[in-house]
Amino acid sequence: MFQRFRRTRLNGHLRSLVRETNVNITDFIYPLFVRSGEGIKTEVASMPGVFQMSLDEILKECEELKKIGLYSIILFGIPDVKDSIGSDSLCEHGIIATAIRAIKETHPEMFVVTDLCFCEYTDHGHCGIIDEKNETVNNDATLEISGQQAVIHAKAGADMIAPSGMMDGIIETLREALDGAGFENLPIMSYSTKFASGYYGPFRDVAESTPSFGDRASYQMDPANRREAIAESIEDEAQGADILMVKPALAYLDIVREIKDSTSLPMAVYNVSGEYAMLKLAGKHNLIDYNRVVMETMVSFKRAGADIIISYHAKEVAKMLLNK
C-alpha cells in the first residue's frame, strides 16, 4: 500500500502539530547602525526601512523593539573621522563604545552584540591594517589591534563579540585578549564562514564601508569553495568560538547544513542586505506575496540548521508572529 502523506495535511491544526520547523521571535538579532549627532534617522535608499541613527534615536528604537519582543541587537558604528587603522574603534570614547554604554544603561535588558571589524572605521574601507605590498589586509597586525577592540567593547558592556573580518587566528586572539582582561565569560559569535559575496552591496551604503581599492576576496571566502567553508568553521570551533555563522544566508543553505552536521556549536546565519533589498523590491512591485515570502525565507534558514537569524526583516517578522 502506498503512503498517504496527505493525511496529515488535510487539517490545519494537524499541520501545525506535525510541523518540523518553527520560527520564533527569540531566534532573531536585529542590526542597528549608530552615528554621532542628535535627531538623526536617515533611511538608506537601497534598504527601505533601514536607518542610520544617532544615539538618541537608537535608544528610542530599543524601546520600540522591546514592545514587539525583540531584545537582541547587533551594533555597527559609523564614526565621524576615519583613518588608516580605524582609531575610533580602539577608543573608549569612540562611537561604538559610547553607544554600548548608553544602551546598556538605558535598556539593561537588551542583549547587545557588537560587530568587531575595522571596515566602518578605516579611510580605505578594508577590514584591518593594509599590507601595501600585496594590496590586502595584514593578517597578524590586524589581529593585534582586534584584541584591543574586543577589550574596548567588553569594558563598555557588550554582551557578545562578533568578529567579522575573516582574519586567520581571530578567535584565539580575541579569546586570549578577553580572558586576560577578566572577560572569560564573554561569548564570541564568529563570522566563521563569510563569503566574498555580491549580496553585500547595499550594506556598503548604510555602513559607509566601500573599499577604496580592490575588494575583499583576499581574506573573505571564495563562494565556490564548499570544503574550505566547512573547515573555516571547524577551525573557529577549535579556537574557542561559542557560536558559528554563515554569511550570506540564502545562497549558502547547503553550507549551513553541512557545518551544522559537522560541529557541535549553535549556528547563526546573517540574512544580508542584498537578500533583504531583493525581497523589498519584489514586494514593492507586487511580484510576490511579501509577508509570505519573508516568512518562507526565515523557515528555510531554520530548516537548514540555523539557531539564530541576524536579519533586517526581524522587526517585520516579529510583528507577523505577534499577529498570527
Side-chain angles (χ1 to χ4, degrees):
M1 183 180 294
F2 60 83
Q3 176 65 43
R4 291 190 180 274
F5 292 101
R6 293 182 57 200
R7 286 187 188 126
T8 56
R9 299 175 192 160
L10 293 175
N11 183 283
H13 294 294
L14 184 52
R15 286 197 300 273
S16 297
L17 287 169
V18 300
R19 186 165 294 135
E20 299 175 29
T21 305
N22 290 285
V23 175
N24 302 296
I25 295 174
T26 52
D27 297 332
F28 288 88
I29 299 175
Y30 186 55
L32 291 176
F33 299 87
V34 61
R35 65 179 318 139
S36 60
E38 261 187 67
I40 298 171
K41 189 173 182 179
T42 306
E43 189 170 28
V44 181
S46 57
M47 298 177 68
V50 175
F51 300 84
Q52 291 182 344
M53 288 183 270
S54 53
L55 186 49
D56 57 322
E57 293 294 331
I58 289 279
L59 296 177
K60 293 176 189 176
E61 183 71 7
C62 287
E63 191 64 48
E64 293 305 308
L65 293 175
K66 290 191 296 185
K67 290 177 182 178
I68 56 174
L70 273 173
Y71 285 85
S72 298
I73 59 172
I74 184 166
L75 197 60
F76 297 83
I78 306 164
D80 287 334
V81 178
K82 304 187 179 194
D83 61 21
S84 62
I85 65 167
S87 298
D88 190 272
S89 67
L90 302 172
C91 174
E92 64 180 16
H93 302 296
I95 185 64
I96 193 75
T98 301
I100 297 165
R101 284 193 298 271
I103 293 169
K104 292 304 293 184
E105 287 170 7
T106 309
H107 302 288
E109 63 274 50
M110 293 297 289
F111 185 78
V112 180
V113 185
T114 56
D115 176 81
L116 190 148
C117 195
F118 293 95
C119 62
E120 304 108 290
Y121 305 94
T122 56
D123 52 13
H124 48 73
H126 280 283
C127 299
I129 294 175
I130 294 298
D131 173 352
E132 294 183 2
K133 179 181 177 182
N134 296 303
E135 294 190 340
T136 185
V137 172
N138 184 315
N139 192 91
D140 293 5
T142 300
L143 291 182
E144 187 174 337
I145 59 173
S146 295
Q148 296 174 37
Q149 188 182 161
V151 173
I152 290 288
H153 290 196
K155 288 181 176 178
D159 295 299
M160 185 159 68
I161 306 291
S164 62
M166 286 298 285
M167 297 297 112
D168 293 336
I170 187 66
I171 301 304
E172 181 177 315
T173 296
L174 297 188
R175 192 71 273 160
E176 289 177 354
L178 291 168
D179 290 1
F183 296 101
E184 62 275 0
N185 292 319
L186 189 65
I188 298 173
M189 177 171 65
S190 173
Y191 286 65
S192 52
T193 299
K194 181 179 179 181
F195 293 91
S197 171
Y199 282 97
Y200 303 144
F203 179 88
R204 310 294 179 229
D205 298 332
V206 65
E208 299 180 5
S209 60
T210 302
S212 61
F213 66 90
D215 56 28
R216 298 189 173 108
S218 63
Y219 46 101
Q220 294 177 358
M221 274 207 58
D222 185 338
N225 290 3
R226 171 185 151 270
R227 292 193 301 272
E228 184 186 5
I230 299 164
E232 282 274 12
S233 281
I234 290 173
E235 174 63 21
D236 280 8
E237 179 181 37
Q239 288 183 32
D242 299 286
I243 298 169
L244 304 174
M245 187 198 301
V246 172
K247 180 181 180 181
L250 196 55
Y252 298 92
L253 296 183
D254 58 322
I255 304 298
V256 175
R257 171 47 60 191
E258 291 209 54
I259 293 172
K260 182 73 170 182
D261 291 343
S262 300
T263 66
S264 61
L265 295 182
M267 171 66 64
V269 294
Y270 201 132
N271 177 210
V272 300
S273 58
E275 298 166 350
Y276 172 85
M278 287 192 301
L279 291 193
K280 279 291 183 184
L281 189 62
K284 179 181 178 181
H285 291 282
N286 295 314
L287 300 174
I288 57 172
D289 180 335
Y290 177 77
N291 285 3
R292 181 177 178 179
V293 171
V294 167
M295 287 303 299
E296 189 174 333
T297 302
M298 301 304 127
V299 168
S300 77
F301 299 151
K302 293 292 297 291
R303 191 184 63 242
D307 303 289
I308 299 165
I309 302 170
I310 305 169
S311 179
Y312 306 100
H313 291 292
K315 282 176 67 176
E316 298 171 312
V317 172
K319 291 172 183 177
M320 292 179 210
L321 292 171
L322 288 171
N323 294 325
K324 279 176 69 174

